[in-house]
Amino acid sequence: MEKSVMVVGLDDSDHSFYALEWTLQHFFSPSPENSPFKLVVVHAKPSALTAIGLAGPGSADVLPYVDLDLRKIAARVLEKAKEMCTAKSVNDAIFEVVDGDARNVLCEAVEKHHASVLVVGSHGYGALKRAVLGSVSDYCAHHAHCSVMIVKKPKIKH
């Protein structure tokens, strides 16, 4: 039987690692081979230009350094994701780093893999930051051609 594909979008935030952990726990435990899903983990690597934002004079000089940084972050994100999957005996997951904006990258990954579910973490931005940045989860919920699950980290009660 062909397994459905589940894409998990990952960045370097606690929220997104929590989403992966939650997904592994709920859909791939205790025995990953019995899961109806095949796991694809996707990290969107922003371009150095986007990461810097508005490019002023002299910004061209720092681009290579920013890009190197973004590549290191991407490698670290995938490394951690692989460890988390291995810890849960999920050994057939696919890991991808794709250049671009997370909104587009994740929606395109859904198309490419014919995914039936996209999982994203929720950053829990405030209203203002969300209005300015536009939330990746909101965008994907409206534009991805599959079901979208937004995993929220439980608020710690003080």
Side-chain angles (χ1 to χ4, degrees):
M1 195 192 91
E2 186 81 8
K3 290 189 169 201
S4 298
V5 173
M6 180 179 279
V7 171
V8 178
L10 211 54
D11 61 18
D12 59 339
S13 69
D14 289 348
H15 290 272
S16 82
F17 286 117
Y18 177 82
L20 176 59
E21 187 60 46
W22 194 94
T23 301
L24 289 168
Q25 194 181 326
H26 289 82
F27 293 99
F28 295 90
S29 301
S31 45
E33 58 280 0
N34 295 337
S35 170
F37 295 104
K38 178 162 183 56
L39 184 63
V40 177
V41 176
V42 179
H43 171 69
K45 184 176 91 53
S47 73
L49 214 50
T50 325
I52 292 176
L54 300 168
S59 65
D61 305 341
V62 300
L63 284 177
Y65 299 102
V66 175
D67 188 59
L68 185 64
D69 235 27
L70 292 167
R71 282 208 297 267
K72 283 183 186 154
I73 290 170
R76 208 166 47 233
V77 167
L78 286 202
E79 196 53 43
K80 185 168 174 181
K82 284 175 184 167
E83 285 168 11
M84 290 166 71
C85 289
T86 306
K88 290 270 192 275
S89 310
V90 177
N91 302 316
D92 59 350
I94 296 170
F95 300 91
E96 295 181 342
V97 173
V98 183
D99 288 310
D101 181 89
R103 297 168 188 77
N104 304 330
V105 165
L106 294 177
C107 289
E108 284 160 17
V110 163
E111 296 291 302
K112 179 182 145 190
H113 294 284
H114 308 293
S116 49
V117 186
L118 169 64
V119 180
V120 285
S122 168
H123 274 268
Y125 290 136
L128 184 65
K129 195 167 183 189
R130 192 169 50 243
V132 175
L133 289 176
S135 131
V136 170
S137 53
D138 283 353
Y139 182 92
C140 291
H142 290 101
H143 295 89
H145 294 273
C146 70
S147 298
V148 177
M149 184 164 68
I150 300 166
V151 177
K152 297 189 175 191
K153 218 175 163 179
K155 279 206 168 26
I156 296 154
K157 302 207 169 36
H158 293 293

